[in-house]
Amino acid sequence: MATWTRKRTFDPDLEDWVVLRDGLMVGRVYLDDLQLNAPGIEMWEWSVITMPARSGLASSLEEGLEKVRELATDDWGHEPHGWPDDR
């Protein structure tokens, strides 16, 4: 069974996460504050970087994470790089 984790990207002030499966980066989910939303409604962008790559929008972080877990394949993925160990 796969182990799923998430790790905040470079800016600790942003709601921006990479999604890891067994330590390999397979996707990303972030709060998309550029979408034209009704006041108080958040929109989250999700993307899968395994093949075939896919992306879309979700109404919550949890929904975006679930889409990445659902659609990530075993084709590709890579080790995360450049993040400090304490994030």
Side-chain angles (χ1 to χ4, degrees):
M1 176 173 271
T3 300
W4 293 91
T5 56
R6 63 181 173 179
K7 187 177 228 182
R8 198 177 287 274
T9 58
F10 301 104
D11 189 337
D13 296 327
L14 296 178
E15 288 291 335
D16 191 351
W17 303 87
V18 293
V19 181
L20 306 165
R21 181 185 56 217
D22 297 330
L24 294 179
M25 192 168 122
V26 296
R28 180 178 171 207
V29 179
Y30 65 92
L31 183 60
D32 188 351
D33 56 4
L34 298 178
Q35 293 291 326
L36 299 176
N37 302 318
I41 295 181
E42 294 181 340
M43 192 59 62
W44 292 79
E45 179 85 25
W46 58 267
S47 61
V48 173
I49 63 169
T50 59
M51 296 300 150
R54 297 179 181 161
S55 63
L57 297 172
S59 60
S60 68
L61 172 61
E62 292 76 21
E63 183 182 324
L65 292 169
E66 183 58 36
K67 288 303 288 186
V68 173
R69 286 190 293 264
E70 174 187 329
L71 297 172
T73 68
D74 291 332
D75 295 333
W76 206 62
H78 62 81
E79 291 190 19
H81 53 83
W83 286 280
D85 289 336
D86 61 347
R87 290 204 187 168

